[in-house]
Amino acid sequence: MRIRYYTDPACATSWALEPRLRSLLVEFGGDVQITYVMGGLAREYGGDLSGLVIEWLDAAERSRMPFDPRIWHDAPLRSSYPACMAVKAAAEQGADAAGRYLRALREGIMCRRRRLDAAEALVEEARGVGLDAQRFR
């Protein structure tokens, strides 16, 4: 089974759907091949971000996934584009590398309020999931 997954590391809906994706992977195992198509939600976030907070809270309520929307108050992302490009770079290191890395970015942004929009933070996450940081850089 081949899946094209249109997503973004900062997408609340994609994070909310993560349990369904995991179910597919458990049910079909090695028969699933995912190609991550990175959407790039925002070249630049700015202005009133309260709509994002509401979107995150709604997604949390629907999905029961953990969300911490205080990132949009404490240290908002400047853009989701660097994280999207980083997922594509991670994919160069093997079939499952992009999925592991995307999951780490999502957990960092959605749960731990990590501002993952700069090169060093993205390299640190790559190192954390076992990628070759020098090659990733």
Side-chain angles (χ1 to χ4, degrees):
M1 176 187 318
R2 293 176 187 243
I3 299 172
R4 283 185 194 258
Y5 186 14
Y6 293 83
T7 190
D8 184 292
C11 177
T13 301
S14 292
W15 177 240
L17 293 173
E18 187 80 9
R20 291 191 175 110
L21 176 62
R22 296 286 157 218
S23 292
L24 279 175
L25 295 174
V26 167
E27 186 172 341
F28 295 102
D31 294 334
V32 176
Q33 181 182 11
I34 301 174
T35 301
Y36 295 96
V37 181
M38 305 313 295
L41 285 176
R43 186 173 299 277
E44 186 174 329
Y45 288 106
D48 181 11
L49 299 175
S50 61
L52 286 171
V53 172
I54 292 168
E55 179 185 331
W56 279 35
L57 291 172
D58 288 344
E61 182 179 10
R62 284 191 311 273
S63 67
R64 304 279 189 232
M65 286 293 283
F67 281 84
D68 192 341
R70 291 178 294 174
I71 188 171
W72 299 111
H73 178 266
D74 298 346
L77 301 173
R78 289 185 306 261
S79 171
S80 69
Y81 277 48
C84 288
M85 290 185 283
V87 171
K88 297 311 281 183
E92 296 294 319
Q93 294 194 34
D96 69 330
R100 286 193 334 265
Y101 185 69
L102 177 59
R103 174 69 187 225
L105 292 182
R106 285 195 174 132
E107 288 176 359
I109 293 168
M110 303 291 175
C111 302
R112 295 190 311 274
R113 299 188 327 242
R114 295 221 39 228
R115 187 173 180 179
L116 298 173
D117 59 0
E120 284 311 309
L122 295 166
V123 170
E124 184 181 321
E125 289 296 318
R127 191 176 293 111
V129 297
L131 299 180
D132 178 334
Q134 189 63 28
R135 181 176 173 199
F136 177 84
R137 188 181 306 277

